[in-house]
Amino acid sequence: MSAKDARRRTSDGTVRRMVELFAARRGTLALAAALTVGVVVGTLLLPVLTGQAIDCVVGPGEVDFGGLHRALAQIAVTLAATAICQWSLTAVTNRLAFGAVLGLRKRAFDHLQELPLSYLDSHGHGDLASRIVTDADMLTNGLLMAFQQLPAGVLTIVVTLAFMFALNPAIAAVVALLTPISIFTARFIATHSAKHFSGQTRIRGELTAYVEEMVGGISAVETFCQQERVAECFAETDAALGEESFKAVFFSSLVNPTTRFANALVYAAIGIFGAFVAMSGGITVGGLSAFLGYADQYAKPFNDISGVATELQNSVACARRLFALLDEAAEEPDAADASVLADPCGEVEFDHVAFGYDAGSLVLRDVDLAVRPGMRVALVGETGCGKTTLINLLMRFYDVSGGAVRVDGRDVRAWTRESLRAGWGMVLQDTWVRRATVRENVSMGRPDATLEEVRAACREAYADDFICRLPQGYDTVLDGSSALSAGQRQLLCIARVICARPAMLILDEATSNIDTRTELLVQRALAHLMAGRTSFVVAHRLSTVRDADLICVVANGRIAERGTHDELLAAGGRYRRIYEAQFAPTE
């Protein structure tokens, strides 16, 4: 990466935004600055005090014990004060760094809840998790180094130079002339490591997303014997990460040997030149000893600053990914005059609705459908015809590209999202059980539900029996995957909706994972739940929808047929062909 590219990447506002993280912590920053001054001053006083102690020893039998005792006492006090300041500085900077990143991580997670479903559908969940967890941790490490080493290092260099010029300007001038070597080293390393740390962060996110995806689908991988191919893909991405990491570590590893060489060069120059100055009477032995101590103190910060610069390149790359997430446009807010949908009656209308996930490709075209309150509407059709998309529009997970969807006579965009979605209860084919107790999972829609209400909902969903066999019953903590079978998770999701008692219902293949006998029982429970409620039922098995008030056959993004079960069979169209395909007698 060229120097121009490096300047462009570091001038994209990321560093400024990192600094702004501490805008509300000015008092703590001031305390950290004061403690830094205390550490630096205490550290730099030690060579002076040590030199004074040495000068108290003139020769054999010629020792100024009074002055020596004073110098040793001052050294002890300075050491104690410096140690206290250093401990306090570490505590304060830890609080600063972890507090700022804690707030940033919380903002990122909260913003994740506000992003439109289209963004979440188009980005790897593992990569998003990597940004919020791994990148935030890497940013914390960089900030800690920046707070604890960078200000102290810069201040040490400046104050040490001032002290050295006060001791002997000639020797100090030699140090100043050799300083650019260390500066050039730090600049070279920082410039060349930025590109590789940025690439390392990006590929690490891709690898995390891939691992999350493969672990989630491990049963399918093993079923189709794809372990070798998956391992090859992992190895390829891992190799790319290893290459970027190697280059990043290689350049960062140059810090120690190169800065040590520069430091040794400065130290040797001071020793040789200072010896000639001391022999000419220009400085005392104690003064030269102090000067050599300052040389060591002066050289060390360049090593630290180079290491901090390298680590900050990694932190800036991580911060850039976090800020990129925060910069994503949130879901379009509710209209300023949006109303709260209270006690919905369940009147639903699709008015010439058109929709496409991509601007140039429509999934739904000119969909018209009027649903009276309390109707049970079934949506059937081939996979990919647009049934679930209609559900997404009802819930306002997506907004229409044309036409309007109305609930209770008003466009869904005229209702607040929260009240609109609270009016619907939804059970999907893809079940989701979070890491919480059974009771907390079932009462998600009604957190204030009593245990008896939760149990009643589970009994109605025929889930109470297997829940009572769990180790702690309704207080059993579920891990969301291995603790329950797919059918048991679906029964919990059905119980969750029953417990919430919503005004309207959406059932998208709600019994697809349940055995036939249990399905018949659950269908009765759902029929009872749907009584008097507007309900949309998406199903491939027509046996589950034949009693619907209205059956809509969706094909090619349109409602191709509509009517009752008997009407559609008599019409002899698509519905009849689907029905006969499912129930034709086997030969």
Side-chain angles (χ1 to χ4, degrees):
M1 182 176 64
S2 65
K4 180 179 179 181
D5 292 333
R7 286 194 298 271
R8 178 180 60 79
R9 291 188 67 84
T10 54
S11 63
D12 62 359
T14 302
V15 175
R16 173 182 56 78
R17 296 177 70 175
M18 290 172 65
V19 173
E20 290 174 352
L21 293 175
F22 306 96
R25 298 175 171 85
R26 291 189 177 91
T28 310
L29 285 171
L31 176 60
L35 291 170
T36 299
V37 172
V39 171
V40 171
V41 171
T43 302
L44 296 181
L45 276 176
L46 287 174
V48 174
L49 297 175
T50 302
Q52 291 176 357
I54 291 173
D55 285 338
C56 288
V57 183
V58 180
E62 300 180 48
V63 179
D64 179 4
F65 285 103
L68 183 60
H69 289 159
R70 284 193 299 274
L72 292 177
Q74 290 173 346
I75 289 173
V77 171
T78 302
L79 280 172
T82 304
I84 293 172
C85 287
Q86 183 64 65
W87 183 90
S88 302
L89 178 63
T90 301
V92 169
T93 52
N94 280 352
R95 185 173 295 275
L96 270 173
F98 283 104
V101 175
L102 175 66
L104 183 62
R105 182 188 281 122
K106 185 178 184 302
R107 281 172 53 199
F109 187 80
D110 290 345
H111 187 64
L112 199 64
Q113 316 305 308
E114 301 170 352
L115 291 175
L117 196 63
S118 57
Y119 178 85
L120 300 177
D121 285 343
S122 60
H123 288 75
H125 296 173
D127 179 62
L128 296 177
S130 178
R131 296 189 192 204
I132 295 176
V133 179
T134 307
D135 289 346
D137 284 342
M138 300 299 291
L139 174 58
T140 304
N141 295 337
L143 290 176
L144 283 174
M145 289 188 67
F147 278 127
Q148 294 175 2
Q149 298 182 24
L150 187 59
V154 173
L155 188 61
T156 298
I157 292 171
V158 174
V159 176
T160 303
L161 264 180
F163 276 29
M164 286 193 291
F165 271 102
L167 280 173
N168 190 290
I171 304 177
V174 174
V175 175
L177 289 173
L178 294 175
T179 296
I181 297 176
S182 296
I183 295 176
F184 173 78
T185 300
R187 181 181 176 82
F188 174 84
I189 294 172
T191 300
H192 285 77
S193 61
K195 171 185 175 183
H196 301 297
F197 275 118
S198 180
Q200 179 190 38
T201 303
R202 174 182 54 80
I203 299 173
R204 184 170 56 232
E206 294 175 0
L207 191 65
T208 303
Y210 186 77
V211 171
E212 188 267 345
E213 180 184 2
M214 291 303 107
V215 170
I218 190 63
S219 58
V221 171
E222 294 186 357
T223 298
F224 292 99
C225 302
Q226 292 296 301
Q227 296 96 319
E228 186 175 345
R229 183 180 176 186
V230 167
E232 289 175 358
C233 292
F234 175 86
E236 183 178 340
T237 308
D238 191 38
L241 176 61
E243 183 177 352
E244 283 296 303
S245 299
F246 172 79
K247 292 176 180 177
V249 171
F250 172 76
F251 280 106
S252 63
S253 66
L254 293 176
V255 171
N256 196 42
T258 52
T259 53
R260 279 183 179 276
F261 172 77
N263 298 345
L265 186 63
V266 172
Y267 196 88
I270 292 174
I272 295 171
F273 186 73
F276 285 104
V277 174
M279 286 189 293
S280 63
I283 191 171
T284 65
V285 174
L288 180 58
S289 173
F291 220 112
L292 289 172
Y294 281 133
D296 186 51
Q297 295 288 347
Y298 177 78
K300 187 176 180 295
F302 285 101
N303 194 13
D304 293 340
I305 291 172
S306 298
V308 170
T310 302
E311 185 63 32
L312 279 177
Q313 294 293 341
N314 190 19
S315 297
V316 169
C318 294
R320 185 177 291 114
R321 280 166 46 84
L322 272 168
F323 290 135
L325 175 62
L326 288 170
D327 290 341
E328 287 293 333
E331 193 172 42
E332 185 179 344
D334 294 326
D337 58 348
S339 303
V340 175
L341 179 60
D343 300 321
C345 66
E347 181 184 352
V348 177
E349 180 185 3
F350 289 86
D351 184 7
H352 297 285
V353 168
F355 174 76
Y357 293 100
D358 298 320
S361 178
L362 291 179
V363 177
L364 299 176
R365 302 173 183 83
D366 197 30
V367 174
D368 270 323
L369 177 62
V371 179
R372 298 187 307 276
M375 283 184 65
R376 189 183 308 178
V377 180
L379 302 175
V380 301
E382 298 176 354
T383 300
C385 65
K387 303 185 297 297
T388 301
T389 300
L390 288 170
I391 301 305
N392 286 336
L393 297 179
L394 278 176
M395 297 291 293
R396 260 201 95 187
F397 292 146
Y398 292 89
D399 282 330
V400 297
S401 304
V405 178
R406 298 188 180 92
V407 171
D408 285 4
R410 298 186 64 181
D411 193 306
V412 292
R413 290 167 289 192
W415 302 114
T416 63
R417 281 190 180 88
E418 183 177 357
S419 64
L420 174 68
R421 293 170 182 171
W424 290 100
M426 186 164 62
V427 181
L428 301 177
Q429 180 178 5
D430 296 328
T431 57
W432 179 69
V433 176
R434 69 189 182 101
R435 183 173 179 82
T437 65
V438 173
R439 179 179 179 178
E440 290 168 335
N441 269 285
V442 175
S443 62
M444 184 178 296
R446 279 183 58 205
D448 58 341
T450 65
L451 177 59
E452 186 50 44
E453 289 174 322
V454 170
R455 294 200 64 169
C458 292
R459 282 194 294 268
E460 199 169 337
Y462 299 93
D464 182 68
D465 184 53
F466 80 80
I467 292 173
C468 291
R469 293 198 302 269
L470 295 174
Q472 284 82 41
Y474 282 83
D475 292 324
T476 302
V477 176
L478 306 175
D479 64 4
S481 55
S482 60
L484 301 176
S485 69
Q488 289 172 330
R489 291 200 302 272
Q490 197 154 40
L491 290 177
L492 277 186
C493 293
I494 293 171
R496 182 186 295 160
V497 172
I498 293 175
C499 182
R501 299 288 176 181
M504 300 172 287
L505 288 171
I506 293 172
L507 306 176
D508 189 350
E509 294 289 347
T511 57
S512 59
N513 293 316
I514 302 173
D515 65 89
T516 305
R517 178 181 176 277
T518 307
E519 180 185 8
L520 292 174
L521 298 174
V522 172
Q523 286 291 351
R524 295 176 193 171
L526 292 176
H528 177 70
L529 182 64
M530 288 187 286
R533 290 181 171 88
T534 301
S535 306
F536 286 82
V537 181
V538 177
H540 288 105
R541 289 182 286 185
L542 301 187
S543 60
T544 63
V545 301
R546 60 190 305 165
D547 295 330
D549 300 314
L550 178 66
I551 299 174
C552 297
V553 181
V554 184
N556 300 320
R558 293 181 171 86
I559 297 180
E561 298 175 3
R562 68 187 74 196
T564 64
H565 173 74
D566 293 334
E567 290 171 349
L568 291 175
L569 281 182
R574 290 176 180 269
Y575 183 82
R576 179 164 182 167
R577 291 195 295 272
I578 298 173
Y579 183 83
E580 290 177 345
Q582 290 190 21
F583 296 100
T586 57
E587 300 189 13

